[in-house]
Amino acid sequence: MMLHWLARERWTIHSWWLLTSLAGLAALPLCFSLLKALPDQGYTLARALGLLLTGFLFWLGVSLGFLRNSPGSILLAWTLLAGGALALYRRGGQTTRLRQWWRRNRRFVLVAELLFLLALLAMVALRAHNNSLVGTEKPMELAFLGSALRSEVFPPADPWFSGYAISYYYFGYVLLAMLASLSGIGSTMAFNMGIALLFALGALTAYGVAGNLARSRTGSAGWRSGLLSAACVTVLGNWQLPLVELPWQGGLGSNAWFAFWGQHDRLAANVMPAGTQTPVGLSDWSFWWWWKSSRVLTDRNLDGSIAPIDVITEFPAFSYLLADLHPHVLALPFVLLVMGLALSIVLARRPPDRARLMLNAVAVGGVMFLNAWDGPICLLLLTSAEGLRRLRESEAGRLTQNQLLATLTFGLRIGLLALLLYFPFFLSFRSQAGGVLPNLQHATSLRQLFLVFALFAIVLGAWLLLEARRAGPTLNRRLLVRVTLLAPLAIVALIAVMALVGSRLPDTADLLQGYLQGSASTDSLVSPLLQRRIAGLPVLLVLCAGIGLALARLFPAATSRDAPSDSQPSPGAAFSMLLLAIGLLLLLIPEFAFLRDVFNSRSNTIFKLYYHAWLLFSVALAWAAGSLQLDVADERLGRALAVLTAVAILPGLLFPLAGVYSRALVENGRLNAGRPLPLTLDGGPGFIGTDDYAAIRCLETVVGDRQAVAAEASGPQYNQYFGRTGTLTGIPVVLNWEGHQRQWRGANWDDLRGSRPEDLDRLYRSDSVAEVTDIIELYEIDFVFYGDSERRRYGNAGEALFRDHFETMCQSGESRFYRVARMSGAELRNP
C-alpha cells in the first residue's frame, strides 16, 4: 500500500523537493558572497533564504501591480533572484573555489541533504496516514492558503468576508501557494505538503545554524551538533509526558505526585471506575492525550480558582504533530535563518556592508510578515550579534559609547529598511494588540517551568556553570550579583508602577479590575498580590541568575595577563551565551507584563515568547552539549556530563514516538480497520459531507480563475461546516468565523460587519424576489449555496424562490449552487 501511494503521489513530493532545491540554488551565489564567515558559506541556509527572497520579489511585484499572481510571475521572481545573486557573486571578485569548498564541506553537506530528504519523506508519510484538515484552526489556514492561490492581487481576498482583504500576516501562505501553483496541486493537498516542507526545512536550517556554530570551534565536524539541534527543533518534546501524562494515563502515581506538578486536569491520580481495567496501551489512552503537553502552565486567580484561559506552552514537535499551518509554524525555518545571519555577523571580522544590511532587513521584515511576534525578537538578535562582534574587538572588554551607538544605529537601520521593504503589508495591517498590561496576579511555578524546558535547563545549566568555572577571575561577579538580586526587585517595582499608572488611565482601569476578577477594593488586593509575587520569586531568581551568568561571562570584570588563555569565551561560546540570555529574557517578560489582546490574558504572550525561546535554546544546546564533552579536562567528569546530557535528551523522545503512533494509527482507526485504509495527502474529501464537497469542487471548476462571491450560512468558529466554499476554494463568502474576524480587524469590527448576519438570514428565508435581489446586489453575490448547513439553519422554505427565478448549477444530491448575478454563461467553464 505504501509503494502504491508513493507511485501515485510521488510527483507532488518530488516537485516540492525540486522547487525548494531550485530556490536554494538561486540563492547560493548570494550566500557564497555575503555569508563567507560561516564555515559552509551559507549552503545549509540557502533553501530557506531562496524561498524567502523569491517569495518577497513575487509578493512585492504583485502588490505593486507589476506582476500577476501566476506561475509565470513566480518563475520571473526566481529568475530575478538567480540573476541578481550571480551578478553580486561575480562582482565580489573573490569567487569560491568549489573544489576546495567541497573538500572542506563534503560530509557536512551530504548529511544536510540526506536530513532534508528523509525529514520531508517522514512527515509526508505521517500526513498521508492522518491527512485530516478538520479541527483547531486548520479551516482558517486552509482558507487563507486557498485565497493566496486564487487572488489576482495581494493582499489576498478574505475568503470569509467578501469585499475585504485578509487582515493578517499572510506571507507564509503566499510562499506555500507559490509551490502549489508551480506543482499544479490544490490547497487541500498543498496544506499537508506545506507541513512536511516546513518540518524538513526547519530540520535543515537548525542543522545548518548549529552545525556552523560547532564548526567555528577548531577541529569540530559540526554534523553531530547540527543533528542534535535539528532533533530539538523537530522531534523532541517537553517532560510533561514522562513525568505527568504517562503515569496519569497508566493509573500510576499518587494524588500528591500530581498535586506537586499542579497541571490543570491532572491535579489528582487517574482513578478508573470499579471493574474497569487501567489503560496500559497507547491505544487505550484518552483522545488527544498529547494535547496536554502544550498546556503545562496553570494560572490561578487570586481566589485560587483556575484561570478561564488556558496558558499555551506549545513547542515545535507538538506543532508538527498537530499539523496546523499557523504563522508561528510558517515562520519557524526563517527565524532559524535569522539566527544563521546573526552567527555570520559574529564570526565576521568587519562590520556588515550595505548588501549584508539589506539582506538582514529583508529577512527581519519577512519574519515579521510571517509572524509579527518574531520580528522584534529577530531584530534584537541581529543587533545584539553586531554588539557582540564589536565587544570581541574591544580591548577594554566592554562596549564604548561610540560602539554602543554604532550597534544601536545598525539595528535601527535594519528596522527602518524592513518597514520600508514591506511597506505595502504594514500599510494595511491591523492587529488586535492594544498595548502592554502588567502581570499582577499570575506567577509561573518553577516546577511547571521545568516541565516545559527541562531538556534545556539541565544541559545549558551545566554548561553555564562550566563556563563560569573556566572564566576564573575574569567572571564579572559584580554584574552577576546585580542582575540576579537587583533585577527581580526592579521587576516587582516595575509591575507596581505599571499597575499604578494603568489604574489611573480610563482605557486600562476597567481592564485591570476585570483582570483581577472584580475585587471589591484596592486594599483587599495587597495581601494576595504580595503573596503571588513572593511565590513567583524562585522563577525570577533562576531566570535572572541565568541571564546574569551569561552576561558576566560575556562582559569580563577585567583583562589580565595572568588570566588563563581560555578565560575568554570563543566566538561560538559567546554566541551561544547570547542566544541563551535572549531566550531567558523571553521567559522572564511574561512574569511582569503581557501584550493586551481580546483575551486579556498572558496566554498568547507566553505562547509566542516561549516558542521562540525554544528555538534559541535548541541552537545553544547543540554547542553546550559539545562543550561539555570537548572542553572538560577531567575524563571522569566528562563521562558524567555525557550521561547527564543523555538523561536530559532521552525523555524528550517519548513524545514523538508515542505521538506519531497515536496520530497515525490510533486516532483514525487504522489499527482496528478491517482492511488497509488508503493513504493520500489530499485531506479535502473527508473535510465535509460528500455532496457538499462535490458541489463546491464543481463551482471551483466552473468559476476558474475569475473573481466571484458566494453566499452560504455563517457559523461558529472551529466548525468546518460553515464558510466551506471559501475554505476549500478561496472564493469569498459573505461572512464566517466572526470571533476570529474580530481578532484580526480590531475594535471597529462591528462597524465593518454591519448587518451581514441579518442580511444572510433574510437572503435564505425571504419570499420576496426584490428583497433577495437587493441583498445580492449589496454584497455582489454571484452564487448562493444550498447545502446541508443551510438547510439545518434556515430550512427549505426559502429555496423555492431560487429554484423558480435562478439557474441551478453544480448540483450533487441535494447540495446545489444557484447562479444569481453578474457572470454570464460565456464566462463560466463547463463543470
Side-chain angles (χ1 to χ4, degrees), residues 57-91:
L57 292 174
F58 169 65
W59 164 81
L60 187 62
V62 175
S63 297
L64 297 179
F66 299 125
L67 300 176
R68 294 180 63 249
N69 184 4
S70 66
S73 296
I74 300 169
L75 292 175
L76 177 59
W78 182 90
T79 303
L80 290 174
L81 171 62
L86 192 59
L88 182 65
Y89 175 72
R90 289 178 173 175
R91 194 178 65 180

Side-chain angles (χ1 to χ4, degrees), residues 32-33 115 118 190 229 256 387 393 397 430 534 662 664 700:
F32 281 173
S33 299
L115 171 65
L118 292 179
S229 181
E393 292 179 350
R430 298 293 181 269
I534 294 174
S662 181
E700 183 180 32

Side-chain angles (χ1 to χ4, degrees), residues 213 460 463 576-577 579-580 615-625:
L213 178 61
L460 292 174
W463 172 65
S576 300
M577 271 181 254
L579 297 181
L580 175 57
L615 301 182
L616 293 167
F617 294 156
S618 295
V619 175
L621 178 137
W623 173 275

